Amino acid sequence: VLGRWICEMRSRYKQRLNGEVKTRINDDQIALLDGIGFEWKKWTGDPEEKKRRALETRNENKRRKRAEAKKIRMEARAIAVRKEEAERTARKRREKEERAEAKKAR
């Protein structure tokens, strides 16, 4: 079943490259398959080279995921810092208002 699906994806990709308008694969799908290292052409080379390329793709995907996770952590930290600053500013404003109210009450 997987082999037939791969064959179908390759066929749709080839149709797309040949300019056929009504293909059942779009740019987003192609990008997703590229992202996991999909081989658009059937491999006819050395099996050891194929293993090496698969390992390189896997390692690149791991590096990309780590970089994305780091970016997300940095963005989350920046959001937390902004939230803390906003809370501190609001607290200072409330304290100032409370002091002004207390001063009026005297």
Side-chain angles (χ1 to χ4, degrees), residues 52-94:
R52 186 188 64 74
R53 289 179 63 189
L55 182 61
E56 286 176 2
T57 299
R58 187 177 77 203
N59 290 338
E60 178 58 33
N61 287 340
K62 284 182 180 180
R63 281 190 292 274
R64 187 180 314 117
K65 286 180 182 179
R66 279 194 300 267
E68 289 172 1
K70 182 179 179 180
K71 181 180 175 184
I72 289 168
R73 284 191 307 272
M74 290 174 66
E75 290 172 353
R77 179 64 188 140
I79 289 168
V81 167
R82 286 194 300 271
K83 181 180 176 186
E84 289 171 6
E85 290 172 355
E87 289 171 350
R88 192 170 28 254
T89 301
R91 187 173 48 251
K92 286 181 181 179
R93 185 176 20 95
R94 280 192 310 273

Side-chain angles (χ1 to χ4, degrees), residues 6 10 37-39 41-58:
I6 290 171
R10 288 176 174 159
F38 189 83
E39 294 286 339
K41 293 182 180 178
K42 187 175 180 180
W43 184 263
T44 57
D46 177 35
E48 291 303 314
E49 174 66 13
K50 183 177 181 180
K51 288 179 188 176
R52 186 188 64 74
R53 289 179 63 189
L55 182 61
E56 286 176 2
T57 299
R58 187 177 77 203

